[in-house]
Amino acid sequence: MVDDVEVPASQTLDRGIRVLEHLATTRTPQSIATVAAAVGVHRSVAYRLLRTLEAHRLVERDAEGSYGVGLGVVGLSRAVRRTLQAAATPELARLVQQLGMTAFLVVRDGAEAVTVNAVEPRDSPAHVAFRPGNRHPVELGATGQALLIPEPPSADDRPELVAARARGWASSLGEVIPGMRAVAAPVRRPDGPAAGALAVIFVDQTVDDEVVGPVLVTAADRVSDALG
């Protein structure tokens, strides 16, 4: 019988990635024994994996001998975000020109959604000023919902997120900035999770979200294709 489970090409690399994923998820220093149990390997194997990752600064060890994510991962993350911004910037400009609204790129930083780039209309008589660096809880707003769309459904999901998953884009009114409406769509990594989200924000509540939403999806999909 042929096993339907895909076997990784490199077992060692697969285990190392799972170690990093475990440390990133827990977000607190972990003992070698805890890492071994989480990844499903012998303690000696976990030790070798951790020491190799430590040598590349992808994990770091504290005074008690526990391990957490290292600064090397931060450098890799920044490189990925620079690539994301390079792919997203032309699409933000296109959205501004097409919709006449402020467009921006958001990424997830732990439990928060963070704006990393924004483009404002130059010839619009009135628009919303939105600056990079803005943060809000990831469970709020259209951008937060968009970042969560690719994640597996949960019984705790808000009805707004369930609806957003069904149509592929999210909408919110006044959840982050009072009186402001936002529409957003996820930019997906090649392996599925959200790399970020493209969004527009505007005041006019007469704008039809059903028109704006698909435009955001098309733009976000182009950025996803560029990342692939």
Side-chain angles (χ1 to χ4, degrees), residues 148-158 161-163 165-166:
L148 297 174
I149 283 176
E151 296 191 357
S154 166
D156 298 329
D157 288 339
R158 296 173 59 196
L161 177 55
V162 175
R165 280 203 181 99

Side-chain angles (χ1 to χ4, degrees), residues 75-105:
L76 292 174
S77 174
R78 286 174 178 167
V80 170
R81 289 187 179 180
R82 283 196 296 270
T83 301
L84 172 62
Q85 289 194 58
T89 298
E91 294 302 328
L92 293 177
R94 193 197 304 261
L95 286 170
V96 170
Q97 183 177 21
Q98 185 174 357
L99 299 174
M101 303 170 181
T102 298
F104 54 103
L105 169 68

Side-chain angles (χ1 to χ4, degrees), residues 1-215:
M1 178 182 294
V2 177
D3 190 353
D4 291 333
V5 179
E6 184 177 352
V7 177
S10 171
Q11 187 181 54
T12 301
L13 178 59
D14 177 71
R15 287 172 170 174
I17 291 173
R18 286 192 285 132
V19 167
L20 288 174
E21 290 174 340
H22 171 68
L23 294 177
T25 300
T26 57
R27 304 181 69 183
T28 56
Q30 302 286 294
S31 68
I32 296 174
T34 302
V35 172
V39 178
V41 299
H42 191 272
R43 190 179 185 280
S44 62
V45 174
Y47 174 76
R48 290 195 297 271
L49 291 169
L50 287 164
R51 289 304 302 269
T52 301
L53 292 169
E54 184 181 15
H56 291 276
R57 300 176 61 248
L58 298 177
V59 303
E60 57 187 23
R61 186 172 27 166
D62 64 15
E64 286 72 38
S66 296
Y67 288 83
V69 175
L71 292 177
V73 171
V74 176
L76 292 174
S77 174
R78 286 174 178 167
V80 170
R81 289 187 179 180
R82 283 196 296 270
T83 301
L84 172 62
Q85 289 194 58
T89 298
E91 294 302 328
L92 293 177
R94 193 197 304 261
L95 286 170
V96 170
Q97 183 177 21
Q98 185 174 357
L99 299 174
M101 303 170 181
T102 298
F104 54 103
L105 169 68
V106 172
V107 299
R108 185 171 182 175
D109 183 16
E112 294 183 311
V114 185
T115 301
V116 295
N117 194 8
V119 179
E120 299 176 11
R122 293 186 176 181
D123 53 0
S124 174
H127 65 271
V128 180
F130 208 73
R131 298 288 185 265
N134 285 325
R135 290 175 174 265
H136 64 80
V138 74
E139 66 270 13
L140 295 181
T143 50
Q145 293 176 40
L147 291 169
L148 297 174
I149 283 176
E151 296 191 357
S154 166
D156 298 329
D157 288 339
R158 296 173 59 196
E160 294 85 353
L161 177 55
V162 175
R165 280 203 181 99
R167 63 183 178 234
W169 53 271
S171 175
S172 66
L173 174 61
E175 286 196 5
V176 177
I177 302 177
M180 299 295 106
R181 182 176 293 277
V183 179
V187 174
R188 301 173 188 265
R189 300 184 189 277
D191 56 350
L198 295 188
V200 292
I201 187 169
F202 50 96
V203 180
D204 188 358
Q205 298 180 20
T206 66
V207 175
D208 188 354
D209 289 0
E210 298 293 333
V211 174
V212 177
V215 174

